[in-house]
Amino acid sequence: MKSKITIVSQFCILPLMVAALSLAGVALAQDVPATKSSSLSVKDKTFMKKAAKGGMMEVAMGNLAAQNGQSDDVKSFGKRMVSDHSKANDELKSIASQKGVTLPGKEPTLKWNSDKAYVTMMVKDHEKDLAEFQEEAKTGSDPEVKKFAEDTAKVVQEHLDLAKETQSKLQ
């Protein structure tokens, strides 16, 4: 009689264990978010956050340049910064949303100094940004973030060229 109970309980316990492990696997799979954030490296996330913060600064400074610039070239450059960086910011926000990344949202508070100071800052900033975007385009791990960096690097190069051209007109 004991052997019958042992055999019956072994046949019952084994399927119960298999079922329990299967359910645990399903439960764990459901805990994984539906976003693709797992494909993002820390480097990709850091790049996205820096790009968002820089993009907001470019828009804020561009607005100041468009309003307070003395030179028509500076005003035009400022408007271009607002337009292009707003578009890039929107694209980056969309990617971040899909990837489950929270980007900084506080817009910077800035003061206007002069056309020359603004354009000099834009040259330095775009040189730095270009290097960062090119680096992400080459070494990033997420295909969408790499594509964003590659496409945006082309625009940043245009901005750098335009900033240098504007700077030469101010001297």
Side-chain angles (χ1 to χ4, degrees):
M1 183 79 165
K2 269 188 172 181
S3 63
K4 280 185 179 179
I5 292 174
T6 306
I7 292 172
V8 169
S9 60
Q10 286 176 347
F11 282 115
C12 290
I13 292 173
L14 182 61
L16 284 174
M17 287 178 60
V18 170
L21 290 173
S22 296
L23 287 174
V26 169
L28 286 174
Q30 289 177 347
D31 286 344
V32 176
T35 63
K36 300 176 185 175
S37 63
S38 59
S39 70
L40 289 179
S41 66
V42 171
K43 184 176 175 277
D44 288 342
K45 290 178 186 176
T46 301
F47 167 79
M48 291 173 73
K49 290 176 182 183
K50 281 179 74 175
K53 190 174 180 182
M56 288 188 299
M57 189 274 302
E58 296 285 356
V59 170
M61 287 300 298
N63 278 323
L64 282 176
Q67 295 167 6
N68 302 332
Q70 299 299 306
S71 160
D72 287 341
D73 289 327
V74 169
K75 288 181 179 194
S76 176
F77 181 80
K79 289 176 186 174
R80 171 96 185 259
M81 294 302 99
V82 171
S83 174
D84 290 354
H85 284 282
S86 293
K87 181 180 174 190
N89 290 350
D90 289 345
E91 185 179 347
L92 185 58
K93 285 177 193 174
S94 175
I95 294 169
S97 175
Q98 293 170 12
K99 306 286 181 183
V101 176
T102 303
L103 298 177
K106 185 181 176 191
E107 294 199 19
T109 306
L110 306 164
K111 292 191 300 186
W112 182 256
N113 291 326
S114 69
D115 286 6
K116 192 171 184 176
Y118 168 69
V119 173
T120 299
M121 183 182 77
M122 289 294 98
V123 169
K124 289 178 185 173
D125 189 55
H126 283 85
E127 287 172 340
K128 179 182 70 68
D129 290 349
L130 182 60
E132 290 173 357
F133 276 78
Q134 288 173 333
E135 176 68 18
E136 179 65 21
K138 288 179 190 169
T139 64
S141 61
D142 183 83
E144 285 179 274
V145 178
K146 284 178 71 165
K147 175 103 172 80
F148 169 78
E150 182 181 332
D151 293 346
T152 306
K154 294 171 187 168
V155 177
V156 172
Q157 179 66 61
E158 290 174 17
H159 291 173
L160 177 58
D161 295 342
L162 185 57
K164 286 179 177 180
E165 181 183 324
T166 304
Q167 185 180 44
S168 71
K169 291 178 181 178
L170 293 176
Q171 293 179 2

